Amino acid sequence: MSCHKEHYRKGANLALAGYQLIESLLKTYIKNYFSIVKSIIGNELYFGFDGQDYEEAPLGRLLQVFSKICDNQKLVKDLQSEIKHRNDVAHKSMLILYSKSKPSIEEFDDLNKSLEVRNKAIHKLYTRLIAQHDLLVEPYEENISAKI
């Protein structure tokens, strides 16, 4: 495998792993949000959400729910704008690697630059999402640490 193709493969795998981390953290955020709501409501009102309904949900669905339970609309918007890029990486990267017509070195260089941009964006979004999650759980950690 050429070094350009190998570099692209590694970049695509890194991007896909980053998107998986974002999805996982969104699931954790949703689950913890529902746990917090249950602990605040107590037995006063039935609340049947627990996050399990979203364990197999795709990124788009997770972001629909997240947009309803997160007041950081800038983060929500930035995550939503990443969906198209995620779909491009997920659906096109393997086609590029394993198609019969191989990209030229210049095309691989352009593809690698594009993946580098995506990977930086993914890292920033993941870092912001962690910070948002921390803001969610910090005030309630003592009261509900056993439930989260």
Side-chain angles (χ1 to χ4, degrees):
M1 188 179 287
S2 75
C3 66
H4 295 281
K5 186 175 180 179
E6 180 62 18
H7 183 71
Y8 178 77
R9 186 188 64 74
K10 287 180 181 180
N13 285 336
L14 183 62
L16 292 171
Y19 289 125
Q20 290 298 312
L21 287 172
I22 287 172
E23 285 184 19
S24 178
L25 187 51
L26 285 168
K27 291 173 186 177
T28 299
Y29 186 100
I30 292 166
K31 179 181 173 190
N32 289 343
Y33 185 92
F34 291 155
S35 292
I36 290 166
V37 169
K38 277 185 178 182
S39 92
I40 292 170
I41 293 174
N43 294 327
E44 297 295 315
L45 189 63
Y46 176 74
F47 187 79
F49 293 101
D50 64 4
Q52 295 301 315
D53 295 334
Y54 304 101
E55 280 301 312
E56 300 298 320
L59 182 59
R61 180 70 180 124
L62 294 171
L63 287 174
Q64 284 178 333
V65 175
F66 183 68
S67 71
K68 305 294 184 198
I69 61 175
C70 177
D71 63 352
N72 185 342
Q73 291 304 300
K74 172 76 170 120
L75 176 59
V76 170
K77 182 180 174 188
D78 292 345
L79 285 164
Q80 288 171 333
S81 71
E82 196 64 30
I83 290 175
K84 179 192 179 307
H85 300 295
R86 182 250 173 228
N87 290 342
D88 286 346
V89 172
H91 299 292
K92 294 179 182 175
S93 61
M94 293 303 129
L95 291 175
I96 290 168
L97 286 170
Y98 299 106
S99 70
K100 290 182 181 182
S101 61
K102 303 296 181 199
S104 68
I105 290 173
E106 293 79 16
E107 289 170 321
F108 265 126
D109 286 343
D110 289 343
L111 291 166
N112 282 324
K113 287 176 188 173
S114 176
L115 278 176
E116 287 174 17
V117 169
R118 291 282 43 87
N119 283 324
K120 286 178 185 176
I122 292 165
H123 182 265
K124 287 178 184 176
L125 285 170
Y126 186 70
T127 301
R128 290 171 57 200
L129 188 53
I130 289 171
Q132 187 67 40
H133 180 263
D134 290 348
L135 287 172
L136 171 70
V137 298
E138 282 175 11
Y140 304 100
E141 282 180 320
E142 290 181 18
N143 297 336
I144 60 168
S145 61
K147 296 179 184 178
I148 293 182

